[in-house]
Amino acid sequence: MSDDPIVRIAARGDGVTASGRHVAGAAPGDAIAPDGSIIPGPHHAVPPCPHFGTCGGCQLQHVDDSALADFVRDRVTGPLAAKGIVARDVRRVHLSPSHSRRRASLRYVRKVGQVTLGFAGQGSHDLIDIRTCEIVTPRLHDVMMAVRGLIAKWPEPRISGSVELTEIDQGVDVLISGLAPKSLAQHELLSGFAEAQKLARLSIDQGFGPETQYEPVLATISFGDIAVRFPQASFLQATRDGEAALAAAAREALDGCRMVADLFAGLGSFAFHLIAPGRRIYAAEAVRDAILALKAAADARQLPVFTEHRDLFRNPVQRDMLDRLDALVLDPPRAGAEEQVRAIAGSSIKRVCYVSCNPATFSRDARILCDAGFMLDTLWPVGQFRWSTHVELASLFVRQP
């Protein structure tokens, strides 16, 4: 047995020994035999999915929840430590359970009656045919399998495209590219499929954007008790419990603040969770359909949410507005929000809740805030992409007196 056991998991999911050797498929506590094989340790788990190892959707099904939580925490705190930043309080890691993912993006190919539907392979662009999935909700899984049947029935022998699935208030929203209905029979095939599966909506993209084929009632997604129109393929937190964990962090971070902003607001997943007596909220978002849906929902309920269609990369909110705020929450894409953070750093705002899906760009932006006099007070690591190397976090920065 090796005297160089696995001590941690690297960013891409490999086990790493104390000497720095990387071993694919190894978990902390595993030992490496002289022939290179893995001798399972206390944190090695049996992968529940038969596709694990070939499908690229999961990288960490071979580790138990304890090791998975450690990985999520280390992925969040490691890049910060490299920048010389240590949070005053690191909260317990939130892990989403299996069968909780409410959205999925798949590809398909049909050749001479044979349908392949699934995700890209591990470390490749090969398409892996998926027959079962341990991460999506049961309803999403059922619709995934039904979509395979629809593609198999399509009259053209060779087709390929993508499938976007999202579980919303009314059921599953389905967007398929690569299908081009040209006849009444083909349109009836689509509507019959949607009715049989009791879909919330079925849309087809022929290269000109989504075209709704079936939507018996307006498709919405609710944040708390506020229903918001859901434009096709809109951004949504991957799991309901992950959204709840991040929203709870934002509410705690902004507790007692009356004038707040939600930057990169999307459909309002933070803005609507932050509604409180006496609080006014400014929400900014670059995606037009998303901000219009947010505005319509706020106006319908006469909520104190004021919206702006604004590209925060090209046109960050500046000091004259930031100085009027008590606090803000921002949830940028993976690129982070460097220019917006520089504007925040130069303002007098006292509290910043930064939500991130990329620890590298988050640590870069955190360094800017800390250099301007902020302290990283609280960090909430969130592993809502279960068994994936993708992690999220919420954080609270407080300006030092």
Side-chain angles (χ1 to χ4, degrees):
M1 183 180 296
S2 169
D3 59 359
D4 195 15
I6 301 296
V7 296
R8 65 181 180 88
I9 305 171
R12 295 186 179 181
D14 291 345
V16 184
T17 68
S19 64
R21 179 184 176 189
H22 285 236
V23 182
D30 288 354
I32 310 304
D35 64 358
S37 63
I38 297 170
I39 302 171
H43 297 294
H44 202 108
V46 177
C49 180
H51 300 298
F52 180 68
T54 56
C55 172
C58 297
Q59 298 82 41
L60 298 171
Q61 286 192 12
H62 63 288
V63 305
D64 67 6
D65 278 8
S66 174
L68 186 59
D70 287 346
F71 170 78
V72 173
R73 185 192 63 242
D74 292 348
R75 281 286 292 128
V76 169
T77 59
L80 287 168
K83 296 283 187 180
I85 302 171
V86 178
R88 182 191 65 83
D89 180 17
V90 180
R91 297 292 176 84
R92 182 178 179 179
V93 174
H94 174 89
L95 289 180
S96 291
S98 61
H99 303 292
S100 63
R101 181 81 176 265
R102 62 177 170 180
R103 58 181 175 87
S105 299
L106 303 97
R107 291 164 39 215
Y108 71 87
V109 174
R110 178 186 167 190
K111 296 180 180 178
V112 196
Q114 180 68 37
V115 176
T116 303
L117 171 70
F119 304 108
Q122 197 77 261
S124 76
H125 295 291
D126 295 339
L127 185 59
I128 305 301
D129 195 36
I130 298 297
R131 297 288 175 168
T132 185
C133 183
E134 296 293 319
I135 59 173
V136 299
T137 66
R139 184 71 187 107
L140 216 63
H141 180 268
D142 290 346
V143 173
M144 282 170 56
M145 297 303 105
V147 167
R148 182 191 301 278
L150 171 67
I151 295 168
K153 294 177 183 176
W154 199 252
E156 297 175 40
R158 288 180 174 268
I159 52 174
S160 63
S162 63
V163 181
E164 299 282 341
L165 305 174
T166 310
E167 194 165 343
I168 58 175
D169 293 343
Q170 294 76 23
V172 179
D173 184 26
V174 179
L175 171 60
I176 306 175
S177 73
L179 301 185
K182 299 181 178 67
S183 66
L184 177 59
Q186 290 173 348
H187 282 286
E188 288 177 339
L189 177 59
L190 292 174
S191 61
F193 167 78
E195 289 176 0
Q197 295 301 315
K198 297 181 171 58
L199 298 183
R201 178 173 56 198
L202 173 63
S203 306
I204 300 297
D205 188 345
Q206 301 182 58
F208 305 102
E211 302 171 39
T212 301
Q213 303 288 310
Y214 175 88
E215 187 179 11
V217 297
L218 185 68
T220 63
I221 186 69
S222 290
F223 305 113
D225 64 346
I226 301 168
V228 182
R229 180 177 61 83
F230 186 75
Q232 289 98 332
S234 292
F235 173 78
L236 198 61
Q237 294 293 345
T239 64
R240 290 180 179 86
D241 65 277
E243 177 189 293
L246 293 169
R251 283 195 298 270
E252 181 180 341
L254 273 57
D255 185 42
C257 299
R258 295 175 62 85
M259 288 290 293
V260 305
D262 180 5
L263 306 183
F264 305 94
L267 294 169
S269 59
F270 288 104
F272 291 127
H273 282 301
L274 290 171
I275 299 294
R279 174 176 286 167
R280 294 160 68 86
I281 301 171
Y282 162 77
E285 169 57 50
V287 178
R288 184 179 63 96
D289 287 350
I291 197 67
L292 290 176
L294 192 163
K295 175 177 171 54
D299 290 350
R301 298 283 290 269
Q302 297 185 317
L303 298 173
V305 179
F306 308 93
T307 60
E308 183 177 16
H309 180 211
R310 183 171 187 150
D311 185 337
L312 295 167
F313 289 108
R314 297 180 179 179
N315 184 25
V317 177
Q318 296 299 319
R319 180 170 183 170
D320 59 340
M321 181 180 294
L322 293 170
D323 285 348
R324 299 199 296 254
L325 300 172
D326 299 318
L328 62 80
V329 58
L330 71 160
D331 182 15
R334 291 188 61 79
E338 184 173 3
E339 293 307 313
Q340 182 60 76
V341 166
R342 291 191 184 282
I344 293 168
S347 74
S348 62
I349 197 166
K350 299 293 193 297
R351 298 170 74 85
V352 174
C353 177
Y354 192 141
V355 179
S356 174
C357 61
N358 186 341
T361 55
F362 170 72
S363 63
R364 177 202 66 200
D365 294 347
R367 186 68 266 169
I368 296 170
L369 291 174
C370 291
D371 288 345
F374 283 90
M375 175 192 72
L376 178 53
D377 184 85
T378 312
L379 202 55
W380 292 265
V382 176
Q384 66 170 324
F385 290 87
R386 186 175 183 83
W387 296 315
S388 166
T389 55
H390 183 78
V391 303
E392 301 204 36
L393 64 97
S395 62
L396 169 61
F397 291 86
V398 178
R399 191 183 291 275
Q400 298 285 75

